[in-house]
Amino acid sequence: MSVKEEKTFDLDLLIQQIGPFGKFQLINYLLICIPIAYTAMYTLTFVFTAGDLEYRCRIPGCDFDNSSFQANFLNFTIPKDGDTFSMCQKFHHVPNATIEDQCQADLFDRNKLEDCSEFVYQDDETTILSEWDLGCNEEWKLSLVGTINNIGQLVCLPLTGYFSDRFGRRTAFVASCVFAALFGVIRSFSTSYLMFIIFEFLEPALGSGVFNAGFILGMELVGPERRVLGAFFINCSFALGEALLGLLAMLTRDWRLLLIVSYAPTFVFVTYHWLVPESARWLLNMNRTRDTAKIIDSAAKMNKSRLTSEARNMLDNALNAEPMVEEKNDKIREKEPKNEYNLLSVFKSRTLLLRILNCSFCWTSVCFVYYGLSMNSVFVAGDKYINFILNCFIEIPGAGLCCFLMERIGRRKMLCLSLVLSGSSCIAYIFMSDAPEGAQLAVFLISKSAATMSYITIYVYTTELFPTELRHTLLSACVIFGRIGSIVAPFTVLLGKYFESLEMILFAAVSIPAGALILLAPETLKTTLPDTVQEAEDIGKP
């Protein structure tokens, strides 16, 4: 937009005039937060759909439909693995056709072991583990589900970004909701592991853009002083959505039913095409000034705002503008000189290059620990559903404390403190195997709360570190590195089965060094957002 046009229609001035966070913005935020809560469930459904179960070998001739999980014949049919029976091996059965009862101790060779091909499960809960017998040598397929889901989210980042910039925030928001609902419901009818894993990828690849599109859609119509409040609302709704997933999993205890009740309601959000207005900033950027003015005018009326004569005239002129005028302005804009920014300028700047490497490692650590703790919460001593729900609810006070401290101690110190606290809590948890369940859970929740604070802070901090001309590109690069951490995180569940507390050791090993290294980057609290590479390099300099 030209300078002349900016003076003719000043959106920032009008937003201040209608109120930075009035009734209009509040209603839009509440509407946006509902689908965001649902999509929060979709990021972690694999924790329960591909969840672990207690199981043992099925013994032909001994196990029938009414057999109990703990049966007397286990003593002579399955070898002991420490204090428990082996989950994956059984004694070789030597059948005797002359007798009817094949479940006798002398018919099993204790010197010869064989792998199990069928299993008996302890709970009435069903996951894809029990659906397709993915135990023992195929347990890695359960961890692969979470990895595939996060790869899909990684693929979605550039797709949603382009779609949102090209066709609008609201369009991307609604389209993502529809794709998520469609592929999620189809996944519930999977007839094989391969079909399940394909749709586990497609759903986040095309439907996980709800959070980013909704975040931007809400943020672009509030004043700068209320953006932290807006972020707090969205993060709280995300945490509530995750907790709702734990509640639904506890009530359904069936992976197919869980997917249906989680995804089917999302089809309703197609109505948001008419309920939620498009981003005013995006419309203005597309030279649709009159459409922008209509939204601002509606907001002013709902907020009962009294506009100054300057603002009123500005709005009336835009509302009364002829379509041909806007088309003419669009042609003029095309002829205006455009600034050309070269990404290579970053690689020529040693300061920015080191900053990108530092932030990328920090992003990887934050995502690895945040998602890893969420996935491992179901293995903490106690009821796995209650633990998961508490693990989600702890994010709300963590988000509130984070927003409070960021404005007082700064982004860099906040990030360092939260990462070190999370890692230290993981180390403490390792030595609490004999402690009461409540104490173990408390330390685990402290670690998750700190991880939440680091997740929120890194978003704000990375945005403020890089210049406007390359901010979106560099932020996306850091987020992609972060997704590497979330892609690897599901396998910590599998590693923890074979090496006790290894997952907690890994969380501490990456979070504490990341917290220390981020101190090498400059503080951005109360600094003006840099517009050029040179201004970004000057952050922190006296």
Side-chain angles (χ1 to χ4, degrees):
M1 180 174 294
S2 67
V3 176
K4 182 178 179 180
E5 284 180 290
E6 287 181 355
K7 291 180 180 179
T8 304
F9 196 87
D10 190 337
L11 182 59
D12 291 317
L13 173 64
L14 289 171
I15 289 176
Q16 290 301 322
Q17 290 282 311
I18 65 173
F21 204 94
K23 183 180 179 181
F24 183 85
Q25 291 98 325
L26 178 60
I27 291 175
N28 275 306
Y29 255 99
L30 292 177
L31 287 172
I32 290 169
C33 283
I34 297 172
I36 283 180
Y38 271 91
T39 55
M41 292 193 290
Y42 307 157
T43 61
L44 291 172
T45 50
F46 61 84
V47 172
F48 297 104
T49 59
D52 196 14
L53 299 171
E54 288 293 326
Y55 59 89
R56 63 168 176 81
C57 290
R58 176 178 289 277
I59 309 299
C62 296
D63 272 313
F64 301 97
D65 291 339
N66 59 348
S67 297
S68 64
F69 186 77
Q70 298 290 346
N72 292 329
F73 59 76
L74 300 183
N75 292 307
F76 57 81
T77 58
I78 298 179
K80 284 255 185 156
D81 186 7
D83 297 330
T84 60
F85 290 104
S86 174
M87 300 173 67
C88 301
Q89 290 187 313
K90 61 184 179 180
F91 293 126
H92 176 66
H93 180 238
V94 183
N96 188 340
T98 61
I99 59 176
E100 183 178 353
D101 184 7
Q102 294 293 312
C103 190
Q104 298 183 30
D106 56 355
L107 297 180
F108 289 86
D109 186 354
R110 293 175 176 251
N111 295 318
K112 188 175 181 181
L113 298 176
E114 56 186 38
D115 293 332
C116 304
S117 57
E118 295 181 298
F119 304 93
V120 175
Y121 300 90
Q122 183 176 25
D123 303 319
D124 58 351
E125 178 184 6
T126 60
T127 70
I128 64 170
L129 167 61
S130 56
E131 183 82 17
W132 296 303
D133 282 337
L134 300 177
C136 299
N137 294 332
E138 293 194 311
E139 272 189 331
W140 61 271
K141 291 183 178 180
L142 300 178
S143 296
L144 182 64
V145 173
T147 296
I148 291 296
N149 183 283
N150 279 281
I151 292 175
Q153 293 182 50
L154 176 63
V155 170
C156 189
L157 282 171
L159 291 179
T160 305
Y162 171 79
F163 196 84
S164 175
D165 289 338
R166 181 69 178 83
F167 301 103
R169 319 309 191 196
R170 182 183 60 185
T171 305
F173 188 68
V174 173
S176 295
C177 287
V178 172
F179 279 125
L182 179 63
F183 291 129
V185 171
I186 292 176
R187 191 162 83 248
S188 69
F189 294 98
S190 296
T191 57
S192 66
Y193 176 79
L194 179 60
M195 178 180 175
F196 179 89
I197 209 73
I198 289 173
F199 283 97
E200 185 71 44
F201 169 79
L202 289 176
E203 182 263 308
L206 296 175
S208 63
V210 176
F211 183 88
N212 286 340
F215 190 91
I216 295 172
L217 187 59
M219 283 290 190
E220 289 187 334
L221 197 61
V222 300
E225 65 272 29
R226 292 292 183 268
R227 286 175 186 163
V228 172
L229 178 63
F232 177 73
F233 275 138
I234 288 179
N235 279 284
C236 285
S237 66
F238 194 86
L240 291 173
E242 291 177 320
L244 178 60
L245 170 65
L247 178 62
L248 291 176
M250 181 168 59
L251 295 176
T252 58
R253 303 178 72 84
D254 179 273
W255 72 273
R256 293 184 187 274
L257 182 58
L258 175 62
L259 288 177
I260 291 173
V261 299
S262 298
Y263 282 91
T266 313
F267 282 113
V268 174
F269 300 128
V270 72
T271 60
Y272 275 39
H273 180 75
W274 299 276
L275 293 176
V276 177
E278 181 55 88
S279 165
R281 289 190 182 277
W282 180 83
L283 288 171
L284 189 61
N285 189 57
M286 294 289 107
N287 200 37
R288 293 167 60 180
T289 310
R290 191 163 56 168
D291 291 334
T292 307
K294 289 178 182 179
I295 294 174
I296 297 299
D297 189 49
S298 298
K301 291 176 181 178
M302 184 174 290
N303 293 350
K304 298 180 179 178
S305 306
R306 292 186 177 181
L307 304 182
T308 63
S309 58
E310 178 191 1
R312 186 71 257 177
N313 290 334
M314 184 188 302
L315 198 56
D316 289 340
N317 290 336
L319 288 170
N320 297 324
E322 292 293 331
M324 289 300 294
V325 174
E326 294 193 7
E327 291 175 10
K328 183 178 179 181
N329 288 339
D330 189 45
K331 292 178 180 178
I332 292 173
R333 179 187 301 178
E334 292 177 359
K335 296 179 181 179
E336 291 177 351
K338 297 181 179 179
N339 293 321
E340 298 291 339
Y341 300 117
N342 194 342
L343 187 59
L344 292 176
S345 61
V346 175
F347 295 96
K348 295 177 182 178
S349 170
R350 183 174 181 273
T351 300
L352 283 187
L353 188 57
L354 291 175
R355 199 175 293 172
I356 292 169
L357 293 174
N358 195 346
C359 287
S360 296
F361 175 66
C362 192
W363 262 98
T364 304
S365 302
V366 168
C367 290
F368 178 67
V369 176
Y370 176 84
Y371 285 103
L373 287 172
S374 295
M375 296 168 197
N376 282 274
S377 63
V378 295
F379 298 101
V380 179
D383 184 272
K384 69 177 183 180
Y385 300 106
I386 299 299
N387 289 347
F388 182 85
I389 292 171
L390 291 175
N391 175 75
C392 298
F393 274 132
I394 200 65
E395 294 186 23
I396 297 176
L401 182 60
C402 176
C403 293
F404 175 80
L405 291 178
M406 265 200 299
E407 297 299 323
R408 283 158 180 80
I409 66 174
R411 284 69 159 122
R412 183 182 60 170
K413 290 181 181 178
M414 183 69 237
L415 195 50
C416 173
L417 177 65
S418 57
L419 283 167
V420 172
L421 176 60
S422 182
S424 301
S425 299
C426 288
I427 294 175
Y429 183 83
I430 296 172
F431 299 98
M432 298 185 67
S433 56
D434 297 327
E437 290 183 0
Q440 293 184 46
L441 180 59
V443 173
F444 188 91
L445 292 178
I446 290 173
S447 181
K448 178 57 188 300
S449 181
T452 301
M453 290 190 282
S454 65
Y455 198 91
I456 296 172
T457 307
I458 191 65
Y459 255 112
V460 177
Y461 187 53
T462 310
T463 302
E464 296 174 338
L465 272 178
F466 299 126
T468 301
E469 59 193 47
L470 294 168
R471 184 173 294 125
H472 194 189
T473 301
L474 297 181
L475 175 61
S476 297
C478 291
V479 174
I480 288 173
F481 274 101
R483 282 297 167 194
I484 295 174
S486 59
I487 288 170
V488 176
F491 282 95
T492 61
V493 176
L494 185 61
L495 290 174
K497 284 187 171 185
Y498 297 99
F499 305 96
E500 186 178 0
S501 300
L502 179 59
E503 72 280 9
M504 289 297 180
I505 295 173
L506 292 174
F507 296 152
V510 297
S511 61
I512 294 177
L517 286 173
I518 204 64
L519 291 176
L520 298 176
E523 180 55 64
T524 60
L525 177 63
K526 296 181 180 179
T527 61
T528 303
L529 289 179
D531 289 321
T532 65
V533 171
Q534 184 59 52
E535 289 177 2
E537 289 180 337
D538 292 339
I539 294 178
K541 293 182 180 180

